[in-house]
Amino acid sequence: MSGKAPEALVQSAADWWTTEIIDIHPGEIDIRGYAIQDLIGQISFPQMIWLMVRGDLPSAGEARLLEAALVASVDHGPHAPSIAIARMAATCGIGLNNAMASAINVLGDVHGGAGQDCMVLYELVRTELERGGELPAVADQVLAQFISDHGKIVPGFGHRFHPVDPRAAPLLGLVESAAKDGTVAGGYVAIGREVEAALRRRTGKSLPMNIDGATAVIFSELGFAPEMGRGLFILSRSVGILAHAWEEMRVRRRMKGPMPKDIPFTYAGPEKRKLDRPD
Amino acid sequence: MSGKAPEALVQSAADWWTTEIIDIHPGEIDIRGYAIQDLIGQISFPQMIWLMVRGDLPSAGEARLLEAALVASVDHGPHAPSIAIARMAATCGIGLNNAMASAINVLGDVHGGAGQDCMVLYELVRTELERGGELPAVADQVLAQFISDHGKIVPGFGHRFHPVDPRAAPLLGLVESAAKDGTVAGGYVAIGREVEAALRRRTGKSLPMNIDGATAVIFSELGFAPEMGRGLFILSRSVGILAHAWEEMRVRRRMKGPMPKDIPFTYAGPEKRKLDRPD
Amino acid sequence: MSGKAPEALVQSAADWWTTEIIDIHPGEIDIRGYAIQDLIGQISFPQMIWLMVRGDLPSAGEARLLEAALVASVDHGPHAPSIAIARMAATCGIGLNNAMASAINVLGDVHGGAGQDCMVLYELVRTELERGGELPAVADQVLAQFISDHGKIVPGFGHRFHPVDPRAAPLLGLVESAAKDGTVAGGYVAIGREVEAALRRRTGKSLPMNIDGATAVIFSELGFAPEMGRGLFILSRSVGILAHAWEEMRVRRRMKGPMPKDIPFTYAGPEKRKLDRPD
Amino acid sequence: MSGKAPEALVQSAADWWTTEIIDIHPGEIDIRGYAIQDLIGQISFPQMIWLMVRGDLPSAGEARLLEAALVASVDHGPHAPSIAIARMAATCGIGLNNAMASAINVLGDVHGGAGQDCMVLYELVRTELERGGELPAVADQVLAQFISDHGKIVPGFGHRFHPVDPRAAPLLGLVESAAKDGTVAGGYVAIGREVEAALRRRTGKSLPMNIDGATAVIFSELGFAPEMGRGLFILSRSVGILAHAWEEMRVRRRMKGPMPKDIPFTYAGPEKRKLDRPD
């Protein structure tokens, strides 16, 4: 082994798995310093999520905003790749945890990252405002740079299916109320609305804020990092994934593919051919 | 293609993805019949979870019990396989969704199934009681059969680490209060306590109800199927998985294995040898 | 910590990760005792698979049979759940490893377990033959018991799509040749053929051996455990999963669901309704 | 639905799953135009991998180079995150496919991407050479830019554990032989060796080509895209993942975490505290 003394190696092994989240001793579980029995029945699930991820408890108002965002994002139907995958996986003779895992796994940059990317966009605007810039000019500039860097699909705005996303206005309304009573500062609402306006100026098209843009306002107001915006979306969408996997399991179809068997797939490859020589 | 008329094939394709959970039209999202904008800010996350999975809304008291169970199960430290996997995965250059998926994937029969299996055990007792049996005799008989069928580790009781699991008593206390005010019937509390007593009679050892036994009481009281007991545990444990993956990502260690590099693994295989002949 | 001396704890940590598969020292990698540089370019990939899984090298004839089974099972088209999942996952902004993982994850009891289950069936027949029974009576009895225990879908025979599975005859032919030259004993070919005959006697229908029944013959002849029959199928099907994920990635479609957007999903849930009371 | 005629919708559904890889009709499976029964027993597993991924068959020499790369990368011991994850997952009561999936999932940019990134680096050098530059000046320039863009860990060179990676020289030797007999052009060997020299000039340290740098030479010579370099590494490492998961399953340890239970984890979070107010 290495030159370290055994005591030092043992300490190194213990420290290899260091955490600030939880302490466990026989008969005792402390989450961020709070005994678990003091939390059960005393705090809400969103408060526990916040405590686990952030390290302290949120105020009641902050927790309600987080809760609204978690409620809003649970599902968008069985044609969404994550939901379709959960449903098909559930018919392949694997556990609910496995069906859920295959689905959660695809909440990536395209399918789950829009909220995170939109938080990054809002942060770019906020940074410029801190340097003395003013909306709406800052919104125009940052948007132009963002599109130049990342392409013309701007996360958080517009929707393939909804002319107006019905989840955005209720969420923004809640943030505005929370700004009025001082729960949050409210700056990101203005940023989000101004980016929406800047997009309209730039493209001539109406691309209203969607669920990702609205949750991005909420998570930014609440002080979450952009990557955690994705983490929180995952917790929310896991509920839809669970519900759909469960529903499919009770239909008991075996080996569900994407199409009914009457509809074939299209082959576009080479014509039939023979090996030149056996290998 | 098949002999079906095109209209029938199109309907077959639409029906292939049938669900009772969600309806979506441009500008409209309905969850089990409720417009999403009527739910955001109006129901809690546990109420949404119940609605998505069960199809109707729970009472406030039912939702609080569910919430307590979700709060109680979020984490059990970085040596639990699911948590360790999430932490290691987070250092391999993959997204938060991927680290979470690798971890959620292992909440299987051994690591995540105890709550579900315990619900099955309680249900066996309840079924016998309905046929006219009485506690504690029924508890003794069902327990003996269960151990004969499944082996001597009885899910829901005892714990590798905790002489008394600190999460069980608070949860049971909440169920007992909920039984007093009529939120739930309360029969599963008696069943759970009697199984605990039966185990003590049978083994001579104290194997107190643990987190899985307690959440099994709650989920059974609330009318969830055993498999959904696992689904709900997954939603809860996903919070710990997220928090630990996130913490590891911010430490920024690359390629974290299970041991510090000072400690080697033990090789127990064949001695060094040469190929007989090149192949 | 525990009462163990530090040296014992360090050894315990080293032994926690014990393996007979590989030994690693600076500048040295030994696979089952063979230096890796002696294997590279000297053994085939199927021989390496065998060495890693079984601990010793196969004969050239054994390796060729394994290779044929691996070649045969790589793909069955984009409507198979595993392949469809790989293709959809590949459009969600995740890595090739992630798309592959979501797909491999569903090669479970229904989608990937038929070969394993068929090996179990063959083993039941072989066990009875060892006790002095004779084909075909043993095949009839074991089949009847298997159907009674597991249901009427017998793994390894018949196919939802192919009246005759084109992969079975070539594989059986190779096993028969290998039996003639003594590479394998050949007993499982007879067992497989007799189970096919027993099925025809029992059901009156022709249910010819399919890919799973044929690879089950091969893997049984080669001495693999039934669970490893699934493991080897996974290695094979991973090739199709990789190829399809890769093809979809180069089409560059974002967020591919199971249906084109012209075709809606069918909603079968409750009619629109309002909350009784805000919660 | 949309305005399309039913026949067009059905065609749209069929075309939604278009592939050039495989065609399937009752009794018939064609891989890239070749009937599957013409391939079984006639081509090697590496040849099938190439056919599935590239669309045509490789020459025997090309297949042997691919095979050597697949053989070389199968394992690097139970402390590698992917292998440790496979082993722990295997103890959680999930299937072999699930344990493998959790592990394959982490072969990401850090754990599985080095070969792919090294291919990108070689390609940058080759592009400059095509524009008229000369080794070694081009190697120095491209390396400097690469380090400036990506950081000082250069994929393909040096190793955390091996002063000299024992897998590199055998692989390079095979490529050099293949260049001599015209199987490949050989340009990437020179590029790889020159990058190694450029690193030594730049850092003053010896950072010899490792397994990723060597397989990157092979896959580049064979004309694979960098992303497919990762895909092929995944197929190879899946063998180690399978073997280790299988070995752990037969040890039958339940719920294997990263450390033996004698060694605790270190808690570094807040001191014990009480809730200010119940919520």
Side-chain angles (χ1 to χ4, degrees):
Chain A
M1 264 178 234
S2 80
K4 278 187 181 166
E7 292 81 2
L9 284 175
V10 173
Q11 192 60 49
S12 164
D15 292 343
W16 191 244
W17 294 97
T18 294
T19 180
E20 299 181 8
I21 297 171
I22 183 171
D23 196 16
I24 305 177
H25 299 283
E28 190 180 322
I29 297 169
D30 303 308
I31 304 283
R32 302 284 192 177
Y34 296 101
I36 187 70
Q37 60 269 29
D38 291 352
L39 300 177
I40 295 170
Q42 298 299 321
I43 66 171
S44 69
F45 193 35
Q47 286 177 310
M48 179 55 113
I49 291 168
W50 186 300
L51 178 66
M52 286 286 292
V53 162
R54 292 282 285 268
D56 287 289
L57 282 161
S59 70
E62 288 173 321
R64 276 193 300 269
L65 269 182
L66 171 60
E67 182 146 51
L70 292 171
V71 164
S73 307
V74 293
D75 194 7
H76 203 259
H79 283 179
S82 57
I83 302 294
I85 285 171
R87 295 192 75 114
M88 290 192 295
T91 66
C92 292
I94 61 180
L96 206 44
N97 54 303
N98 307 124
M100 290 177 70
S102 276
I104 286 164
N105 205 34
V106 307
L107 299 178
D109 290 347
V110 171
H111 193 3
Q116 173 180 349
D117 294 342
C118 189
M119 289 174 78
V120 168
L121 172 59
Y122 291 166
E123 208 50 36
L124 291 168
V125 174
R126 195 192 65 77
T127 303
E128 285 306 313
L129 292 176
E130 276 197 345
R131 292 180 184 166
E134 281 190 31
L135 294 169
V138 163
D140 288 328
Q141 296 160 17
V142 169
L143 187 62
Q145 184 66 48
F146 193 91
I147 288 174
S148 165
D149 291 342
H150 296 114
K152 59 190 181 78
I153 296 180
V154 177
F157 297 86
H159 198 285
R160 306 186 304 162
F161 189 85
H162 297 292
V164 177
D165 188 326
R167 297 162 293 186
L171 288 173
L172 279 185
L174 289 168
V175 186
E176 284 169 335
S177 299
K180 285 210 186 81
D181 68 30
T183 300
V184 296
Y188 288 94
V189 183
I191 288 174
R193 294 206 184 283
E194 199 55 53
V195 170
E196 183 180 296
L199 258 172
R200 191 171 33 230
R201 287 192 289 272
R202 180 184 170 93
T203 65
K205 292 196 295 186
S206 166
L207 290 161
M209 190 184 287
N210 62 33
I211 178 69
D212 299 312
T215 52
V217 168
I218 288 181
F219 296 147
S220 301
E221 286 289 345
L222 296 177
F224 287 100
E227 268 160 302
M228 187 47 65
R230 182 190 308 198
L232 297 169
F233 170 75
I234 292 166
L235 290 182
S236 176
R237 189 47 65 89
S238 294
V239 176
I241 282 167
L242 169 62
H244 281 270
W246 177 237
E247 187 181 57
E248 193 68 50
M249 275 180 167
R250 285 174 297 143
V251 174
R252 292 190 165 286
R253 188 176 357 248
R254 283 173 56 96
M255 284 281 292
K256 180 192 179 83
M259 288 282 166
K261 64 176 175 3
D262 302 292
I263 296 179
F265 64 88
T266 295
Y267 173 66
E271 299 216 8
K272 291 190 201 181
R273 49 181 167 162
K274 290 288 189 188
L275 285 177
D276 292 332
R277 41 168 184 69
D279 227 52
Chain B
M1 267 175 232
S2 78
K4 278 187 182 166
E7 292 81 1
L9 284 175
V10 173
Q11 191 60 49
S12 164
D15 293 343
W16 191 245
W17 294 97
T18 295
T19 179
E20 299 181 9
I21 298 172
I22 184 171
D23 197 17
I24 305 177
H25 299 284
E28 191 180 321
I29 297 170
D30 305 307
I31 304 281
R32 302 283 192 178
Y34 296 101
I36 188 70
Q37 61 269 28
D38 290 353
L39 299 176
I40 294 171
Q42 297 299 321
I43 66 171
S44 71
F45 193 35
Q47 285 178 309
M48 179 55 113
I49 290 168
W50 187 299
L51 179 66
M52 285 287 291
V53 162
R54 294 281 286 268
D56 286 288
L57 282 161
S59 69
E62 289 173 322
R64 275 193 301 268
L65 269 183
L66 172 60
E67 183 146 49
L70 293 170
V71 164
S73 307
V74 293
D75 193 9
H76 203 259
H79 283 180
S82 57
I83 302 294
I85 285 171
R87 295 192 76 113
M88 290 193 294
T91 66
C92 292
I94 61 181
L96 207 43
N97 53 302
N98 307 123
M100 291 178 68
S102 275
I104 287 163
N105 205 34
V106 307
L107 299 178
D109 290 346
V110 170
H111 193 4
Q116 172 181 350
D117 295 342
C118 191
M119 289 174 76
V120 168
L121 172 59
Y122 292 166
E123 208 50 37
L124 290 168
V125 174
R126 194 191 65 77
T127 303
E128 284 307 312
L129 293 175
E130 274 196 347
R131 291 179 184 168
E134 280 190 32
L135 296 169
V138 163
D140 287 329
Q141 295 159 17
V142 169
L143 187 64
Q145 184 65 49
F146 193 91
I147 288 173
S148 166
D149 291 342
H150 296 113
K152 60 191 182 77
I153 296 179
V154 177
F157 297 87
H159 198 286
R160 307 185 302 160
F161 188 86
H162 298 292
V164 177
D165 188 326
R167 297 162 293 186
L171 287 172
L172 279 184
L174 288 168
V175 186
E176 283 168 336
S177 299
K180 285 208 185 82
D181 67 32
T183 299
V184 294
Y188 288 94
V189 183
I191 288 174
R193 294 204 185 285
E194 199 54 54
V195 170
E196 182 179 297
L199 259 172
R200 191 171 33 233
R201 287 191 290 271
R202 181 185 169 92
T203 65
K205 292 196 296 185
S206 166
L207 291 161
M209 190 185 287
N210 63 35
I211 178 67
D212 298 313
T215 52
V217 168
I218 289 183
F219 296 146
S220 300
E221 285 289 347
L222 295 178
F224 287 99
E227 269 161 300
M228 188 45 65
R230 182 189 308 197
L232 296 169
F233 169 75
I234 291 166
L235 290 183
S236 175
R237 188 47 64 91
S238 295
V239 177
I241 284 167
L242 170 62
H244 281 270
W246 177 238
E247 187 181 57
E248 193 68 51
M249 275 181 167
R250 284 173 300 141
V251 174
R252 291 191 165 284
R253 189 181 352 251
R254 285 173 54 98
M255 285 281 292
K256 180 191 180 83
M259 289 282 165
K261 64 178 176 1
D262 303 291
I263 297 180
F265 65 87
T266 295
Y267 174 67
E271 300 215 5
K272 291 191 203 182
R273 50 180 166 162
K274 290 286 188 190
L275 285 177
D276 293 333
R277 41 167 185 69
D279 226 56
Chain C
M1 265 177 234
S2 79
K4 277 187 181 166
E7 293 80 3
L9 285 175
V10 173
Q11 191 59 49
S12 163
D15 292 342
W16 191 245
W17 294 98
T18 295
T19 179
E20 300 181 9
I21 297 171
I22 183 170
D23 196 16
I24 305 177
H25 299 283
E28 189 181 323
I29 297 170
D30 303 306
I31 304 281
R32 302 283 193 178
Y34 296 101
I36 188 69
Q37 59 271 27
D38 290 352
L39 299 177
I40 295 170
Q42 297 299 321
I43 66 171
S44 70
F45 192 35
Q47 286 177 310
M48 178 56 113
I49 292 168
W50 187 300
L51 179 66
M52 285 286 291
V53 162
R54 293 280 286 268
D56 286 287
L57 282 160
S59 69
E62 288 173 322
R64 275 193 301 270
L65 268 183
L66 172 60
E67 183 146 51
L70 293 170
V71 164
S73 307
V74 294
D75 193 8
H76 203 258
H79 283 180
S82 57
I83 302 294
I85 285 171
R87 294 192 76 112
M88 291 193 295
T91 66
C92 292
I94 61 181
L96 208 42
N97 53 303
N98 308 121
M100 291 177 68
S102 276
I104 286 163
N105 205 33
V106 307
L107 298 177
D109 291 345
V110 170
H111 192 4
Q116 172 180 349
D117 294 341
C118 190
M119 290 175 76
V120 168
L121 171 59
Y122 291 166
E123 208 49 37
L124 291 168
V125 174
R126 194 192 65 78
T127 304
E128 285 306 314
L129 293 175
E130 275 197 344
R131 291 179 184 167
E134 282 191 32
L135 295 168
V138 163
D140 287 329
Q141 295 159 20
V142 170
L143 187 64
Q145 185 66 47
F146 192 91
I147 287 173
S148 165
D149 292 341
H150 296 114
K152 59 190 182 76
I153 296 180
V154 177
F157 297 86
H159 198 285
R160 307 185 301 162
F161 189 86
H162 298 292
V164 177
D165 188 324
R167 297 162 292 186
L171 288 173
L172 280 185
L174 288 168
V175 186
E176 284 169 334
S177 299
K180 284 209 188 82
D181 68 29
T183 300
V184 296
Y188 288 93
V189 182
I191 288 174
R193 292 204 186 286
E194 199 55 54
V195 169
E196 184 180 295
L199 260 171
R200 191 171 33 233
R201 286 190 291 272
R202 181 184 170 92
T203 66
K205 292 194 297 187
S206 167
L207 291 162
M209 190 185 289
N210 63 33
I211 180 64
D212 299 311
T215 53
V217 168
I218 288 183
F219 296 146
S220 301
E221 284 289 346
L222 295 178
F224 287 100
E227 269 160 303
M228 187 48 64
R230 181 187 311 194
L232 297 169
F233 169 75
I234 292 166
L235 290 183
S236 176
R237 188 48 63 92
S238 294
V239 177
I241 284 168
L242 170 63
H244 281 269
W246 177 238
E247 187 181 58
E248 193 69 50
M249 276 183 168
R250 284 173 300 142
V251 174
R252 292 190 167 285
R253 187 175 1 248
R254 284 172 56 96
M255 283 280 293
K256 179 192 181 82
M259 289 282 166
K261 63 178 177 1
D262 302 293
I263 297 180
F265 65 87
T266 295
Y267 173 66
E271 299 214 7
K272 291 192 201 179
R273 50 181 166 163
K274 290 288 189 187
L275 285 177
D276 293 332
R277 42 168 182 71
D279 228 54
Chain D
M1 269 177 229
S2 79
K4 279 186 180 165
E7 292 81 3
L9 284 175
V10 173
Q11 190 60 50
S12 163
D15 292 344
W16 191 244
W17 295 97
T18 295
T19 179
E20 300 181 9
I21 297 172
I22 183 171
D23 197 15
I24 305 176
H25 300 283
E28 188 180 324
I29 297 170
D30 305 305
I31 304 280
R32 302 284 193 176
Y34 297 101
I36 188 69
Q37 59 271 26
D38 290 353
L39 299 176
I40 295 170
Q42 297 299 321
I43 66 171
S44 70
F45 192 36
Q47 285 178 311
M48 179 56 114
I49 291 169
W50 186 301
L51 179 66
M52 285 288 291
V53 162
R54 294 280 287 267
D56 287 286
L57 283 161
S59 69
E62 288 173 324
R64 276 193 300 271
L65 269 183
L66 172 60
E67 183 145 50
L70 292 170
V71 164
S73 308
V74 293
D75 193 8
H76 203 258
H79 283 180
S82 56
I83 302 295
I85 286 171
R87 295 193 75 114
M88 291 194 294
T91 66
C92 293
I94 61 180
L96 207 42
N97 53 302
N98 307 124
M100 290 178 69
S102 276
I104 286 164
N105 206 33
V106 308
L107 299 177
D109 289 347
V110 171
H111 193 5
Q116 172 181 350
D117 295 341
C118 189
M119 290 175 76
V120 169
L121 172 59
Y122 291 166
E123 207 50 37
L124 290 168
V125 174
R126 194 192 65 79
T127 302
E128 284 306 314
L129 293 175
E130 275 196 345
R131 290 179 185 168
E134 281 190 32
L135 295 168
V138 163
D140 287 330
Q141 294 160 21
V142 170
L143 187 63
Q145 185 66 47
F146 193 90
I147 287 173
S148 165
D149 290 342
H150 296 114
K152 58 192 183 76
I153 296 179
V154 177
F157 297 86
H159 198 285
R160 307 185 301 162
F161 189 85
H162 298 291
V164 177
D165 187 326
R167 298 163 292 186
L171 287 173
L172 279 185
L174 289 168
V175 186
E176 284 169 335
S177 300
K180 284 209 187 83
D181 67 30
T183 299
V184 296
Y188 287 94
V189 182
I191 288 174
R193 293 204 185 286
E194 199 56 53
V195 170
E196 183 179 294
L199 259 172
R200 190 170 34 234
R201 287 191 290 272
R202 181 183 170 95
T203 65
K205 292 195 296 188
S206 166
L207 290 162
M209 191 185 287
N210 63 35
I211 178 67
D212 299 312
T215 53
V217 168
I218 288 183
F219 295 146
S220 301
E221 286 287 349
L222 296 177
F224 287 99
E227 269 159 303
M228 189 45 66
R230 184 189 308 197
L232 296 168
F233 169 75
I234 292 167
L235 290 183
S236 176
R237 188 47 65 92
S238 294
V239 177
I241 284 167
L242 170 63
H244 281 270
W246 177 239
E247 187 181 58
E248 193 69 50
M249 276 182 168
R250 284 173 301 141
V251 174
R252 291 190 167 285
R253 192 180 348 254
R254 283 173 57 95
M255 282 282 291
K256 180 192 179 83
M259 288 282 166
K261 62 178 177 3
D262 302 292
I263 297 180
F265 64 88
T266 294
Y267 173 66
E271 299 215 8
K272 290 191 204 180
R273 50 180 167 163
K274 290 288 187 189
L275 284 177
D276 293 333
R277 41 163 184 73
D279 225 57

